């Protein structure tokens, strides 16, 4: 569109503003502004346009009245109360979309009005624009009030809402044409911006669905308590790998990428695994072996030959993560669990044996000590009667006293939040004190040979 020079008067002198001398983008914006102004004048002077404005108002008022009646009723019908079954979850899911009722009702009623107007005046540009506005309001309410997932909210804010705005202004086709015409070269390859935008959006949605499906399936598998923990971990990993592999193949198919072209990439990855990725491949296979055999799984307390010890809190494809009782995380490659000796304190049950040493003085009747100590230690709520009850044993005759030790079994590890040996030593102290048995301390006898001489002060 060509716009001639515009001459205006300001501050006592003629000022000439020539759009033809301005940049192309300024001319384009001015052209669209002029078209919009002409369209607005046409609508303001047209009886058909005024009738369409009236129908828009009537449709919106009717939508408001219907929404006031229906929304409380639907809210009561969809309220599941305290139930948590599948039907209750479905009702909660549907109830969260109630804020969309008003703009969607206005959209539907406006669509009916558009049909009536087009049948009478053979024109419906105004009411069609209003219908698109109501749809835009519905999309904005969806992104702002209903979507809670951070990724979907980001996608809706920066992709869905702008697309709805372009559709409302009837510029969606023009924007798509411009994006498709903009080609980005990348070496021997090239792609347009429209394809890139579609790839990002479709890929993001597909992999979000994959992540959601993976979390739901993992949650379901972890609830199957009849399965071994290691088997649950293995099944969860297999499902995760399958879901994301299928998501990748679906994305490639949707975007029209030839999968046969990935054969070269697969060969390169195979060569890389054979040379530079040996350790990664070894750790991955070791992790599968661990999950299949169940020798170590999440929740076990293990100690390796290298001195690493802690509770397994996570097992990945490459390594296991141990959490020590002082809060540190240790990443141990899966291969170390296969090639080195591992002590699993939680395997075959969680009962472990500990002992607490103590001594009594030589003037004690040691025949009474075992019964006193065993009865005292057995009172501890965490000390087990099976596989063996507390057992007090005579260990030797020391320099200052007679040495004993009491062996006891408990569930769990004597570290972190559980201080079993400390509790047992308190019980031993109190039991010996109540029975007037003395705990010795080191004595030293000094012998002086020869004559002692004293010097008097002058």
């Amino acid at each position: 569109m060509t716009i001639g020079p515009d001459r205006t008067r300001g501050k006592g002198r003629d000022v000439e503003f020539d759009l033809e001398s301005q940049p192309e983008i300024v001319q384009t914006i001015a052209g669209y502004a002029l078209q919009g102004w002409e369209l607005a004048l046409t609508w303001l002077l047209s009886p058909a346009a005024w009738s369409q404005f009236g129908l828009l108002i009537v449709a919106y008022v009717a939508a408001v009245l219907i929404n006031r009646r229906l929304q409380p009723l639907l809210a009561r019908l969809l309220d599941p109360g305290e139930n948590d079954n599948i039907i209750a979850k479905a009702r909660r899911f549907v109830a969260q979309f109630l804020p969309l009722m008003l703009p969607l009702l206005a959209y539907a009623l406006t669509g009916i009005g558009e049909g009536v107007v087009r049948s009478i005046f053979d024109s419906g540009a105004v009411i069609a624009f209003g219908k698109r506005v109501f749809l835009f309001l519905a999309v904005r309410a969806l992104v702002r009030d209903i979507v809670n997932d951070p990724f979907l909210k980001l996608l809706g804010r920066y992709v869905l809402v702008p697309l709805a705005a372009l559709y409302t202004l009837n510029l969606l086709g023009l924007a798509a044409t411009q994006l498709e015409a903009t080609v980005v070269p990348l070496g021997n390859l090239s792609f347009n911006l429209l394809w890139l935008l579609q790839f990002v959006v479709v890929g993001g949605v597909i992999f979000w669905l994959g992540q959601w499906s993976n979390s739901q399936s993992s949650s379901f598998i972890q609830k199957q308590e009849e399965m071994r923990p290691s088997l649950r971990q293995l099944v969860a990993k297999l499902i995760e790998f399958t879901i994301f592999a299928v998501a990748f193949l679906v994305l490639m198919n949707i975007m029209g990428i030839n999968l046969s072209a990935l054969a070269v990439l697969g060969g390169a990855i195979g060569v890389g695994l054979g040379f530079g990725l040996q350790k990664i491949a070894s750790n991955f296979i070791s992790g599968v072996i661990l999950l299949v055999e169940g020798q170590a799984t999440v929740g076990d307390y293990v100690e390796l030959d290298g001195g690493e010890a802690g509770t397994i809190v996570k097992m990945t494809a490459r390594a296991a993560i141990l959490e020590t009782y002082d809060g540190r995380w240790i990443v141990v490659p899966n291969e170390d669990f296969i090639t080195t000796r591992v002590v699993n304190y939680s395997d075959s049950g969680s009962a472990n044996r500990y002992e607490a040493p103590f001594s009594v003085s030589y003037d004690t009747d040691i025949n009474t000590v075992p019964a006193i100590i065993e009865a005292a230690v057995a009172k501890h709520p965490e000390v087990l009667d099976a596989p063996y009850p507390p057992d007090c044993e005579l260990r030797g005759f020391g320099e200052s006293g007679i040495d004993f030790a009491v062996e006891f079994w408990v569930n769990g590890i004597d570290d972190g939040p559980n201080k079993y040996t400390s509790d047992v030593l308190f019980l031993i102290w109190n039991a010996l004190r109540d029975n007037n048995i003395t705990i010795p301390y080191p004595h030293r006898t000094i012998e002086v040979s020869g004559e002692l001489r004293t010097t008097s002060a002058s």
Side-chain angles (χ1 to χ4, degrees):
M1 172 178 294
T2 303
I3 303 177
D6 182 16
R7 294 179 176 83
T8 58
R9 181 176 300 274
K11 296 184 179 180
R13 66 181 184 273
D14 291 336
V15 178
E16 183 174 332
F17 180 70
D18 189 1
L19 283 176
E20 293 180 353
S21 64
Q22 300 300 317
E24 183 179 356
I25 185 171
V26 176
Q27 297 183 32
T28 304
I29 294 174
Y32 284 128
L34 183 59
Q35 289 180 7
W37 173 250
E38 292 176 351
L39 181 62
L41 288 177
T42 302
W43 285 358
L44 290 174
L45 300 176
S46 171
W50 280 105
S51 63
Q52 293 175 50
F53 278 123
L55 281 177
L56 278 176
I57 296 174
V58 171
Y60 180 74
V61 172
V64 170
L65 295 176
I66 296 174
N67 181 68
R68 287 180 181 177
R69 293 291 185 91
L70 281 182
Q71 194 164 48
L73 177 62
L74 292 177
R76 289 194 300 269
L77 291 176
L78 295 174
D79 184 13
E82 298 180 356
N83 297 326
D84 198 27
N85 50 30
I86 297 178
I87 298 178
K89 293 180 179 179
R91 292 166 69 180
R92 288 193 186 96
F93 178 77
V94 175
Q96 67 181 346
F97 292 98
L98 287 179
L100 299 180
M101 180 179 294
L102 177 59
L104 290 180
L105 278 173
Y107 177 83
L109 294 176
T110 305
I112 297 173
E114 181 185 6
V116 174
V117 169
R118 289 190 182 275
S119 64
I120 298 175
F121 297 103
D122 196 21
S123 174
V126 176
I127 198 168
F129 175 76
K131 185 177 70 171
R132 295 196 297 270
V133 169
F134 289 136
L135 183 61
F136 172 78
L137 294 176
V139 172
R140 191 169 67 94
L142 174 68
V143 175
R144 183 189 60 189
D145 302 327
I146 297 175
V147 176
N148 295 320
D149 183 82
F151 173 76
L152 293 182
K153 204 172 190 68
L154 181 69
L155 194 66
R157 183 178 299 170
Y158 294 104
V159 177
L160 188 59
V161 172
L163 287 178
L166 290 174
Y167 173 75
T168 302
L169 299 175
N170 207 18
L171 298 176
L172 187 58
L174 178 62
T177 303
Q178 293 294 330
L179 289 175
E180 189 173 8
T182 306
V183 178
V184 179
L186 185 63
N188 295 328
L189 302 176
S190 62
F191 54 87
N192 58 69
L193 292 182
L194 180 61
W195 182 90
L196 180 61
L197 180 61
Q198 290 174 345
F199 183 83
V200 172
V201 173
V202 174
V205 172
I206 288 178
F207 280 94
W208 179 85
L209 289 173
Q211 182 66 33
W212 179 81
S213 302
N214 179 58
S215 62
Q216 296 296 318
S217 59
S218 297
S219 176
F220 175 76
I221 291 171
Q222 295 302 326
K223 294 178 181 179
Q224 309 305 312
E225 298 181 355
E226 65 275 4
M227 299 171 63
R228 290 188 297 113
S230 59
L231 184 59
R232 292 201 297 265
Q233 289 286 324
L234 177 61
V235 173
K237 291 296 180 184
L238 289 176
I239 292 177
E240 179 180 4
F241 176 79
T242 303
I243 287 175
F244 284 103
V246 171
F248 176 77
L249 294 177
V250 169
L251 177 62
M252 295 298 103
N253 189 30
I254 291 176
M255 300 309 300
I257 299 176
N258 189 5
L259 296 179
S260 61
L262 299 177
V264 177
L265 179 61
I269 293 176
V271 174
L273 289 175
F275 289 96
L277 303 178
Q278 292 182 9
K279 282 291 184 182
I280 295 178
S282 175
N283 287 320
F284 178 78
I285 296 173
S286 299
V288 174
I289 294 173
L290 284 174
L291 293 174
V292 171
E293 294 184 351
Q295 295 178 352
T297 186
V298 175
D300 290 353
Y301 186 89
V302 297
E303 182 178 356
L304 282 73
D305 259 355
E308 301 90 350
T311 302
I312 301 177
V313 294
K314 186 177 182 181
M315 297 188 72
T316 65
R318 187 190 65 84
I321 299 177
L322 309 183
E323 183 178 12
T324 64
Y325 282 120
D326 54 2
R328 294 179 298 170
W329 277 27
I330 304 174
V331 181
V332 181
N334 291 329
E335 186 181 11
D336 291 356
F337 286 88
I338 303 298
T339 59
T340 62
R341 186 180 65 177
V342 180
V343 180
N344 191 339
Y345 290 93
S346 303
D347 197 16
S348 299
S350 58
N352 294 286
R353 191 191 71 175
Y354 298 96
E355 66 175 39
F358 65 97
S359 300
V360 298
S361 62
Y362 273 99
D363 58 357
T364 303
D365 182 6
I366 62 174
N367 296 299
T368 62
V369 172
I372 294 173
I373 298 302
E374 290 171 1
V377 174
K379 294 179 182 179
H380 193 285
E382 301 296 331
V383 173
L384 305 175
D385 293 331
Y388 301 102
D391 181 23
C392 184
E393 300 177 351
L394 176 63
R395 293 295 174 86
F397 301 98
E399 294 182 359
S400 302
I402 303 173
D403 298 329
F404 284 86
V406 58
E407 297 177 347
F408 58 95
W409 288 76
V410 292
N411 280 321
I413 305 298
D414 186 20
D415 200 351
N418 304 319
K419 302 294 184 181
Y420 301 119
T421 302
S422 175
D423 295 341
V424 168
L425 287 174
F426 272 106
L427 294 173
I428 292 173
W429 170 272
N430 294 327
L432 296 178
R433 184 190 60 186
D434 294 342
N435 288 274
N436 298 319
I437 298 176
T438 304
I439 296 178
Y441 53 89
H443 292 77
R444 295 292 181 267
T445 301
I446 300 176
E447 295 183 358
V448 180
S449 61
E451 181 180 359
L452 292 176
R453 296 181 180 182
T454 60
T455 303
S456 59
S458 57

